[in-house]
Amino acid sequence: MTQKIHPTAIIDSAAKLGSDVSIGPYSVVGPNVTVGDSVTLHSHVVIDGCTFVGAGCEVFPFAMLGG
């Protein structure tokens, strides 16, 4: 499982991350979030609520999902 998580990203320990995930600077992933394989979250992305991001998705800077 390859994951590239920027040191400034905040990922809740209960979040489920797939393989080959890339999470950019200052992004936040909440506890009820599932991120599929090969997903890219660019900088300043916030994902919260009961949210599923499917495999291969790319989420661009300053997007808010599930809020």
Side-chain angles (χ1 to χ4, degrees), residues 17-41:
L17 303 179
S19 63
D20 230 10
V21 169
S22 177
I23 300 178
Y26 305 104
S27 290
V28 178
V29 178
N32 297 313
V33 173
T34 301
V35 177
D37 296 339
S38 302
V39 168
T40 299
L41 306 179

Side-chain angles (χ1 to χ4, degrees), residues 38-42 45 53-61 63 65:
S38 302
V39 168
T40 299
L41 306 179
H42 291 281
V45 171
V53 180
C57 287
E58 184 172 8
V59 183
F60 290 90
L65 305 176

Side-chain angles (χ1 to χ4, degrees), residues 47-58:
I47 304 178
D48 204 7
C50 187
T51 305
F52 176 80
V53 180
C57 287
E58 184 172 8

Side-chain angles (χ1 to χ4, degrees), residues 1 3 5-7 12 29 33-34 43 45 48-49 63:
M1 183 184 315
Q3 295 177 343
I5 300 174
H6 194 275
D12 191 280
V29 178
V33 173
T34 301
S43 68
V45 171
D48 204 7

